[in-house]
């Protein structure tokens, strides 16, 4: 078949003329034949065809994965438990973590399958969606490019939403720290102060260069979490002092915050595509499972003990509930610095989506020379502006989670799996189809009710 890869004997890009294929028999016992068949697509290994200028190691990838998930989301988990209740929060968080991790695996597996079919070394989230629909049911194939655009829009909204939350988190924690030194400024003032350094960090272009920054941020985050646990584990009240189950009206807010915390799916393919040994990313003991087990355990622990400690008085970030002493202030400062250093990593994904599109529209050399810097400035300014318009941390976290994170983490991956393996590779009795449909329904339900509840809360402010 013309679309299959040529044998290495022939060399890449050289057509194979079937009339020149011969069988050569030798007199000796050895036999040398030139086969008239080409390798199957299953022989194509995408990872071996990748040529990376700055590949990341397993440790680099794990650090990026942890930093991409352990940030403002983990510090908002006690607030999430307030909206779910103590015991429902534990069950829901572990369930959410399991589903989100499974969806990440689905996306990676479908990416590999489609790379092999199309003989491409790597694919982005949007490219996976487009190819899945282009090779799926005939009736849906004309909409492949539209679904690619939709996914890109959600990816940009989600990651810029994360960046917006990062702006607000750093500003609010900096404000609280400065109160200790009797410096009283508004949140908007601190947002203006941190804008120039955030802009400078957002101008870093290479993911490899962000590894040292992510490592420093990971160490600072670990220190901040250790001290936070030190405070919240002291003098814990009995579990009957807080609600085991919250009201139905509050559950959508829990969903939004929890899915915001777990949604790192936009970074999964970029991280896997940049690995030196991408085969170590999946599997039971791979980088992805290792990272997500750590994340789920930390989320559950800090949500449980943070809500138990402060009850309904818990704020959008647990750091804001810590006492007003020097060590607690150091936690706020350290966590603010760690989140600040993570801004560049979060900004990496939306920039990689937006810039190629803008670049294709530029014609002059001058525009191409300065276009990327201008694009970065505009996008960072958008996150800054959004943070100033909605200066409420818990509400914006829940909104970003419910609206965009749920679509990317819970709706598109199972939809991609259905399209990729349609119609006869969905398991015995189509069990994969029914599993994926259940996840999609769960995601749509959280999307609708979570977005509504978050907007309602924001409009009441």
């Amino acid at each position: 078949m013309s679309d299959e890869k040529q044998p290495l004997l022939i060399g890449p890009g050289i057509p194979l003329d079937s009339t020149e294929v011969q069988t050569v028999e030798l007199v000796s016992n050895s036999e040398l034949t030139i086969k008239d068949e080409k390798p199957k697509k299953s022989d194509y290994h995408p990872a071996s065809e990748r040529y990376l200028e700055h590949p990341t190691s397993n440790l680099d990838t794990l650090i990026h994965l942890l930093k991409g998930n352990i940030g403002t989301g983990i510090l908002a988990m006690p607030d999430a438990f307030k909206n779910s209740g103590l015991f429902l929060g534990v069950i829901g968080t572990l369930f959410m973590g399991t589903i989100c991790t499974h969806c990440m695996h689905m996306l990676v597996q479908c990416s590999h399958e489609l790379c092999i079919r199309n003989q491409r070394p790597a694919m982005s989230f949007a490219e996976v969606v487009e190819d899945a629909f282009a090779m799926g049911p005939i009736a849906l194939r004309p909409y492949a490019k539209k679904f690619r655009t939709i996914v890109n829009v959600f990816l940009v909204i989600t990651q810029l939403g994360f960046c917006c939350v990062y702006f607000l988190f750093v500003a609010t924690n900096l404000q609280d720290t400065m109160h200790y030194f009797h410096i009283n400024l508004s949140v908007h003032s601190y947002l203006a102060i941190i804008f120039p350094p955030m802009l400078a960090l957002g101008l870093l272009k290479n993911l490899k260069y962000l590894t040292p920054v992510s490592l420093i941020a990971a160490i600072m985050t670990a220190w901040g979490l250790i001290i936070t646990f030190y405070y919240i584990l002291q003098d814990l009240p009995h579990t009957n002092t807080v609600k085991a189950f919250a009201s139905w009206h509050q559950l959508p807010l829990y969903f939004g915050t929890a899915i915001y915390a777990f949604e790192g799916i936009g970074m999964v393919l970029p991280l896997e595509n940049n690995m030196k040994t991408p085969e170590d990313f999946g599997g039971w003991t791979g980088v992805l499972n290792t990272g997500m087990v750590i994340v789920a355990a930390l989320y559950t622990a800090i949500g449980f003990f943070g809500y138990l400690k402060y009850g309904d008085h818990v704020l959008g970030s647990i750091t804001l509930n810590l006492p007003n002493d020097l060590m607690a202030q150091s936690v706020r400062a350290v966590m603010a610095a760690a989140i600040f250093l993570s801004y560049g990593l979060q900004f990496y994904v939306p920039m990689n989506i937006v810039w190629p599109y803008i670049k294709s529209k530029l014609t002059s050399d001058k525009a191409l020379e300065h276009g990327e810097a201008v694009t970065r400035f505009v996008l960072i300014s958008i996150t800054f502006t959004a943070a100033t318009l909605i200066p409420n941390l818990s509400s914006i976290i829940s909104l970003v989670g419910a609206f965009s994170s749920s679509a990317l983490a819970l709706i598109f991956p199972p939809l991609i799996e259905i399209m990729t393996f349609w119609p006869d590779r969905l398991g015995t009795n189509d069990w994969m189809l029914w599993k994926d449909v259940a996840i999609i329904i769960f995601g749509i339900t959280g999307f609708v009710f979570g977005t509504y509840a978050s907007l309602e809360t924001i409009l009441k402010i």
Side-chain angles (χ1 to χ4, degrees), residues 149-171:
T149 302
I150 291 171
V151 167
N152 273 333
V153 169
F154 272 109
L155 277 171
V156 171
I157 292 174
T158 300
Q159 296 299 135
L160 291 182
F162 289 172
C163 292
C164 173
V165 172
Y166 278 30
F167 254 114
L168 199 52
F169 178 89
V170 175

Side-chain angles (χ1 to χ4, degrees), residues 164-417:
C164 173
V165 172
Y166 278 30
F167 254 114
L168 199 52
F169 178 89
V170 175
T172 52
N173 279 272
L174 191 59
Q175 179 190 43
D176 211 58
T177 301
M178 290 298 104
H179 282 165
Y180 182 78
F181 299 101
H182 307 290
I183 300 175
N184 299 312
L185 297 175
S186 67
V187 172
H188 295 91
S189 299
Y190 288 106
L191 284 170
I193 291 170
I194 65 175
F195 177 72
M198 284 283 205
L199 179 62
L201 196 61
L203 293 176
L204 286 176
K205 299 179 182 180
N206 198 298
L207 189 63
K208 179 69 176 179
Y209 299 148
L210 291 173
T211 298
V213 176
S214 290
L215 180 58
I216 294 170
I219 294 171
M220 297 174 77
T221 301
W223 167 253
L225 290 176
I226 289 170
I227 302 302
T228 300
F229 273 113
Y230 168 78
Y231 278 107
I232 64 178
L233 291 177
Q234 293 188 56
D235 303 320
L236 283 172
H238 196 273
T239 54
N240 61 15
T241 60
V242 294
K243 294 176 291 186
F245 303 95
S247 66
W248 287 101
H249 181 73
Q250 292 175 277
L251 284 181
L253 295 174
Y254 163 78
F255 173 87
T257 305
I259 197 64
Y260 168 92
F262 275 112
E263 199 286 295
I265 199 164
M267 297 183 64
V268 168
L269 289 182
L271 288 177
E272 195 263 355
N273 290 341
N274 275 279
M275 286 184 70
K276 186 183 302 181
T277 54
E279 62 273 9
D280 294 337
F281 190 73
W284 284 102
T285 58
V287 173
L288 179 57
N289 278 357
T290 301
M292 293 308 294
V293 166
I294 295 171
V295 168
L298 286 173
Y299 280 8
T300 305
I302 202 164
F304 181 91
F305 292 113
Y307 176 53
L308 181 60
K309 174 73 173 179
Y310 298 109
D312 288 338
H313 298 292
V314 72
L315 299 174
S317 170
I318 189 65
T319 56
L320 301 176
N321 285 102
L322 301 182
N324 194 31
D325 58 32
L326 186 59
M327 189 162 68
Q329 295 299 342
S330 72
V331 172
R332 296 186 183 98
V334 165
M335 292 303 293
I339 296 303
F340 164 76
L341 293 175
S342 303
Y343 184 90
L345 183 60
Q346 293 294 347
F347 189 71
Y348 180 83
V349 176
M351 186 61 197
N352 270 13
I353 296 172
V354 174
W355 171 236
Y357 174 78
I358 294 177
K359 185 179 180 180
S360 66
K361 304 297 180 182
L362 302 179
T363 54
S364 68
D365 293 338
K366 188 174 182 179
L368 288 170
E369 182 182 356
H370 303 288
E372 184 173 0
V374 172
T375 302
R376 288 178 179 272
F377 175 80
V378 170
L379 292 179
I380 294 170
S381 298
I382 289 173
T383 64
F384 167 77
T385 303
T388 59
L389 293 176
I390 315 174
N392 183 287
L393 194 58
S394 61
S395 297
I396 198 168
I397 285 175
S398 183
L399 177 61
V400 171
F403 179 75
S404 52
S405 298
S406 61
L408 292 174
L410 299 176
I411 298 175
F412 282 111
L415 194 58
I416 290 170
E417 185 172 67

Side-chain angles (χ1 to χ4, degrees), residues 95-105 258-259 262-265 288 292 405 409-410 413:
F95 175 76
M96 198 85 73
T98 302
I99 295 297
C100 287
T101 304
H102 176 61
C103 287
M104 291 176 184
H105 279 290
I259 197 64
F262 275 112
E263 199 286 295
I265 199 164
L288 179 57
M292 293 308 294
S405 298
L410 299 176

